[in-house]
Amino acid sequence: MSAPARLADIAAQAGVSEATVSRVLNGKPGVAATTRQSVLAALDVLGYERPVRLRQRSAGLVGLITPELENPIFPALAQVIGQALTRQGYTPVLATQTPGGSTEDELTEMLVDRGVAGIIYVSGLHADTTADMQRYEQLRAQGVPFVLVDGFSPKVQAPFISPDDRAAMRLAVTHLASLGHTRIGLALGPKRFVPVLRKIEGFVRAVQDQLGLDPREIETELIQHSLYTLEGGQAAASALIATGCTAVVCASDMMALGAIRAARQRGLEVPDDVSVVGFDDSPLIAFTDPPLTTVRKPVPAMGQAAVRTLLEEIGGTPAPHSEFIFMPELVVRGSTASAPGPGPVGGSRRP
């Protein structure tokens, strides 16, 4: 496209004269700051690259390592963290672990080689009780600041950002018990992860408090471990429903969608025969069929806290080796209802 045509396009988009566009592009003085911003915004909207001298100087790169992007909660968290970093003049570099792809250690090495100012880990090896925590001490020795999200280890000297997993289970169980459910199951991921252990602890205590069941019975009969996927949720919920559970709490929304599928495969209705509660409140989850009752993870607060804490570390005022815990909230939608009664009177459509 010829230069005059391009100037005309930018001027029309910004609502200014071509002469003004020319002054901005050539870095000439005498243009109001708001007008300059309008011209730069017009460049962005029309897909033109800003001239090098007009690009914002980056305060540096910050690595963000996530497990995968199939579960919508990870892109949601990455977006909050990315926006918060950009507002502070940093450039986020998203590095994702995929099965058969780069490991967390390889991604860390790649980011350190690129001279990142710091790294934020989301649901990384720090959440795995069987992993060697020495890798984080080595990173600290290299002078790279980092913050760990979702998962706590007393062996790592760093700030941690977590949701209150125990409280999340208490919210879900209390809600279901108030609806008359007396047999409530829990579907979650592998036992070696800290958030899983905390959810079990919260669930067992809540079921004990609300329904008076024996902790051993709860652990052996009402908890199923699987994978954090739709298929994993389906398998775990299927086993729980088979033991007579009329409600299933899931450790992720993806698992909850699998639980709904498991109920339907058995010819049961959600929520008339089986109530399902998710965890995360991922984007779009309010629009499932039925809309999912879930425990909302405080993603915006957690993401912003992770960035604020990391920037303090980078700035030389490290946060204490402690865990910042954020309170989740119950969002009641259409996947939970009163426990089915013995017959049609109780509200169940099936005998």
Side-chain angles (χ1 to χ4, degrees):
M1 190 189 288
S2 67
R6 194 159 56 195
L7 276 180
D9 291 344
I10 298 164
Q13 177 70 32
V16 299
S17 70
E18 288 180 40
T20 300
V21 173
S22 179
R23 293 182 78 81
V24 172
L25 295 184
N26 290 308
K28 296 278 169 63
V31 181
T34 50
T35 307
R36 188 181 300 276
Q37 277 308 113
S38 305
V39 172
L40 294 178
L43 282 179
D44 297 342
V45 167
L46 294 170
Y48 296 130
E49 278 197 28
R50 295 183 179 194
V52 174
R53 65 179 163 276
L54 296 179
R55 289 180 204 162
Q56 191 180 12
R57 286 288 301 138
S58 170
L61 305 175
V62 167
L64 171 61
I65 301 183
T66 65
E68 38 99 0
L69 295 176
E70 283 176 13
N71 182 337
I73 200 63
F74 293 125
L77 197 51
Q79 188 172 13
V80 170
I81 290 171
Q83 284 171 344
L85 285 168
T86 306
R87 278 198 298 274
Q88 297 296 330
Y90 286 84
T91 303
V93 181
L94 180 63
T96 305
Q97 297 173 67
T98 47
S102 299
T103 63
E104 181 181 306
D105 291 339
E106 288 164 348
L107 293 174
T108 299
E109 193 180 339
M110 177 269 288
L111 290 169
V112 172
D113 286 348
R114 277 166 179 67
V116 292
I119 301 175
I120 296 173
Y121 292 87
V122 177
S123 300
L125 289 167
H126 64 277
D128 187 338
T129 55
T130 64
D132 181 7
M133 296 297 154
Q134 203 51 42
R135 52 175 52 85
Y136 299 110
E137 289 312 307
Q138 286 165 359
L139 188 61
R140 176 167 293 290
Q142 288 175 277
V144 181
F146 58 94
V147 172
L148 303 155
V149 180
D150 258 350
F152 176 78
S153 171
K155 297 176 188 164
V156 182
Q157 295 290 314
F160 289 84
I161 309 283
S162 308
D164 191 331
D165 289 298
R166 297 180 186 94
M169 294 300 100
R170 191 167 61 245
L171 288 169
V173 170
T174 304
H175 169 63
L176 292 167
S178 74
L179 291 170
H181 292 275
T182 54
R183 199 157 174 85
I184 301 166
L186 174 63
L188 31 57
K191 203 169 182 174
R192 64 180 193 274
F193 295 110
V194 173
V196 171
L197 294 170
R198 287 177 170 183
K199 284 188 177 79
I200 291 172
E201 210 178 294
F203 178 80
V204 169
R205 194 173 300 158
V207 172
Q208 203 181 347
D209 291 348
Q210 294 288 327
L211 304 171
L213 298 185
D214 178 73
R216 282 190 302 278
E217 182 193 343
I218 299 168
E219 292 223 21
T220 53
E221 294 181 26
L222 300 180
I223 295 175
Q224 282 288 331
H225 293 277
S226 190
L227 298 175
Y228 277 112
T229 58
L230 196 139
E231 293 77 14
Q234 188 174 345
S238 202
L240 291 167
I241 293 167
T243 68
C245 288
T246 60
V248 179
V249 179
C250 299
S252 80
D253 291 336
M254 300 292 276
M255 292 186 89
L257 295 182
I260 292 172
R261 191 197 271 181
R264 286 178 178 159
Q265 272 191 335
R266 292 174 163 270
L268 301 170
E269 298 279 344
V270 175
D272 294 2
D273 302 308
V274 179
S275 285
V276 175
V277 179
F279 177 79
D280 282 338
D281 197 27
S282 324
L284 303 180
I285 216 70
F287 306 103
T288 55
D289 175 30
L292 189 67
T293 293
T294 189
V295 180
R296 177 180 293 157
K297 193 175 193 170
V299 166
M302 286 177 61
Q304 285 156 13
V307 170
R308 199 163 52 245
T309 310
L310 183 71
L311 296 189
E312 282 173 8
E313 294 265 324
I314 292 169
T317 51
H321 169 231
S322 61
E323 186 177 21
F324 301 94
I325 296 179
F326 291 79
M327 193 64 188
E329 63 177 304
L330 180 72
V331 183
V332 178
R333 298 196 182 103
S335 65
T336 50
S338 299
V345 180
S348 177
R349 291 184 191 170
R350 295 169 191 281

